[in-house]
Amino acid sequence: MYDQPRPNPVRPAMTFDQMLERVRYEGAYPTRERASEAVHDVLAALGRQVTGDERVDLAQCLPVEAALTLTAQIPDTEPLTGWGFVKDLAARTGGTPATARWDTGAVFAMVARLAGPDLLARILHRLPGGYALLFGQAELRQPQLAA
């Protein structure tokens, strides 16, 4: 059986400038430019992981500039775990895993608010383990039994 997309509640539109200010506050970034850099880097990395209807629905929840960053990426053929996502982001940006994790948390907090709980649950269901914690959620996956 296929998962049926569930409509998300209508939220007031957020501008990209408002999104940057919220991320700047959440991440305690010293400048708006640093917050913008984090938003673009993290959303580009997320765009390489999220596919299908969840990708389309997430893009519709984001401000236009953020949606363009997300959807401009070609999804990876091999999905990364949450920790792999952080390590890949650090390598691509030339930062450390600690700063990449900080940036991810600040941006994903805003993405989670904009997406809403239903869409976020669908996204987390489709991604490998480790992403729920990056979004500030409990990891609720069933353990896999060894064969």
Side-chain angles (χ1 to χ4, degrees):
M1 180 172 171
Y2 295 103
D3 288 333
Q4 296 298 315
R6 289 177 261 163
N8 288 312
V10 177
R11 292 181 176 73
M14 177 179 279
T15 68
F16 187 65
D17 289 336
Q18 291 170 326
M19 182 181 185
L20 286 181
E21 284 305 313
R22 293 299 304 247
V23 169
R24 181 178 176 190
Y25 177 79
E26 291 281 337
Y29 295 113
T31 64
R32 182 182 176 86
E33 290 73 27
R34 178 64 186 97
S36 178
E37 181 180 311
V39 167
H40 286 292
D41 291 343
V42 172
L43 287 179
L46 184 60
R48 291 187 288 275
Q49 299 302 310
V50 178
T51 60
D53 290 339
E54 289 75 21
R55 179 182 173 103
V56 173
D57 293 346
L58 179 58
Q60 290 175 343
C61 295
L62 299 174
V64 173
E65 296 89 339
L68 291 173
T69 299
L70 178 88
T71 58
Q73 305 304 309
I74 297 171
D76 287 342
T77 56
E78 195 66 34
L80 299 172
T81 64
W83 176 236
F85 178 90
V86 171
K87 291 191 306 186
D88 182 64
L89 180 61
R92 288 177 187 266
T93 61
T96 66
T99 57
R101 173 61 181 96
W102 184 269
D103 292 347
T104 299
V107 175
F108 278 8
M110 179 54 54
V111 170
R113 281 190 209 120
L114 292 170
D118 291 341
L119 177 55
L120 182 58
R122 288 177 33 223
I123 291 169
L124 291 175
H125 180 71
R126 301 276 301 238
L127 291 171
Y131 281 89
L133 294 174
L134 297 176
F135 279 99
Q137 306 287 312
E139 185 75 46
L140 300 174
R141 294 191 179 258
Q142 295 294 322
Q144 300 294 323
L145 299 176

